[in-house]
Amino acid sequence: MTRSKRPRTFYVAADALGDVEAYVDSSRAWVVRKAQQAGRYERLAQLRLVTEVTRGLKPKVRWRDQRGVAGERELNLLSVRERMMLFSEGPHGLEPLWLWLNEQGMPFRPHSWDGVFRTANQRCAKVLTPPKYLGMDPHQVFAPYATPHSARHSFALYMLVVLNYLMDRRFGLSPAERRDFRLLYGDPWFMVQNLLGTPRGRPPLTSTSRRWPICSCGRCWPRPTAIRIRRRCRSWIRSLHG
């Protein structure tokens, strides 16, 4: 599911994990129960009931399909479609192992997040846009607007500012010393590149974070300019000092 289509370790903040657990115990559990009562899961022809997940560097998933035929495959080799059809036996019947579910209790497709963001953008624009600007392009009136891709860019920019600030504050390096430190131990660009899951073979100059200071395409951020980005960086740095 990463941008480079390769598995990698992802560190989740404790508060974010708490939000996910709350979702699992509340709205997710509710839609799963409704789907079980409607018998939606039993009608899935490609359903696979997981019987075991092995441990080790290359864990395998073992399952039994609707006809009772057993199968197995390495976890990292399972496609998105195959993962969406993995189920377990819960206290009230079949339950999907896929975390995010739609209102029918079925696995939520990754690209469906675009629709969620689009609906949220429309709702925010309707509530927050002054009446005289209604009907205009949201980019022209600077209404709140976000996409999954812009969230990725925001994360990259924020982490880059924080890492550079912490490096300077911790070591008190001059520009020349900072250059030597980068050559010896690494660069925040590469750290952000790793967090984003960008392929290691790709030069950092073409990574998401490297494009931020010069991007003006209108897709990565609503009408971005170098001046606005520099102001945002200075604002974040001031907040870190405060």
Side-chain angles (χ1 to χ4, degrees):
M1 297 303 297
T2 63
R3 188 174 181 86
S4 59
K5 303 298 185 296
R6 296 179 181 178
R8 65 187 178 93
T9 302
F10 182 79
Y11 299 95
V12 183
D15 55 348
L17 190 59
D19 290 338
V20 172
E21 292 175 345
Y23 159 72
V24 171
D25 295 336
S26 57
S27 55
R28 185 185 188 278
W30 184 78
V31 296
V32 167
R33 190 75 182 107
K34 297 291 286 186
Q36 291 170 337
Q37 294 173 350
R40 295 192 182 102
Y41 300 143
E42 287 79 1
R43 295 196 293 268
L44 296 174
Q46 298 180 341
L47 181 145
R48 294 175 175 179
L49 181 62
V50 174
T51 57
E52 181 187 7
V53 179
T54 64
R55 297 181 179 273
L57 296 177
K58 295 183 178 181
K60 291 185 178 180
V61 179
R62 297 192 173 101
W63 65 78
R64 188 176 65 255
D65 64 17
Q66 292 281 55
R67 298 172 297 175
V69 179
E72 68 174 41
R73 194 173 186 186
E74 186 179 323
L75 176 61
N76 290 336
L77 298 180
L78 289 172
S79 66
V80 173
R81 183 178 297 274
E82 290 173 327
R83 290 169 184 264
M84 293 173 66
M85 290 295 103
L86 296 179
F87 283 71
S88 64
E89 190 68 46
H92 302 290
L94 294 172
E95 295 184 5
L97 292 178
W98 191 265
L99 176 61
W100 305 106
L101 308 177
N102 60 26
E103 295 179 354
Q104 287 72 44
M106 304 302 289
F108 196 80
R109 297 179 181 276
H111 292 295
S112 297
W113 285 109
D114 293 329
V116 173
F117 274 72
R118 189 182 309 110
T119 302
N121 291 328
Q122 294 170 352
R123 186 167 62 248
C124 291
K126 182 178 180 181
V127 174
L128 300 176
T129 302
K132 65 179 180 180
Y133 293 119
L134 290 177
M136 293 181 60
D137 184 355
H139 290 168
Q140 295 178 354
V141 297
F142 297 99
Y145 185 85
T147 65
H149 192 63
S150 67
R152 172 183 170 88
H153 279 249
S154 297
F155 169 79
L157 177 60
Y158 183 81
M159 289 303 301
L160 183 64
V161 172
V162 170
L163 290 172
N164 277 286
Y165 169 75
L166 291 178
M167 179 179 289
D168 292 342
R169 184 180 182 185
R170 181 185 180 101
F171 300 106
L173 303 176
S174 66
E177 292 171 336
R178 200 169 189 279
R179 177 180 177 277
D180 293 338
F181 185 90
R182 273 203 315 268
L183 293 175
L184 287 172
Y185 300 108
D187 192 300
W189 287 118
F190 291 101
M191 299 174 70
V192 173
Q193 185 180 19
N194 182 60
L195 290 171
L196 292 173
T198 308
R200 293 183 179 181
R202 181 180 297 178
L205 284 173
T206 61
S207 68
T208 299
S209 56
R210 196 65 169 180
R211 289 199 302 267
W212 263 103
I214 59 174
C215 182
S216 59
C217 65
R219 295 188 299 271
C220 303
W221 187 275
R223 302 176 65 85
T225 64
I227 295 177
R228 288 179 59 190
I229 292 173
R230 284 197 294 270
R231 288 175 179 172
R232 185 176 295 271
C233 289
R234 287 198 296 267
S235 175
W236 276 337
I237 291 175
R238 283 196 298 268
S239 67
L240 290 172
H241 280 290

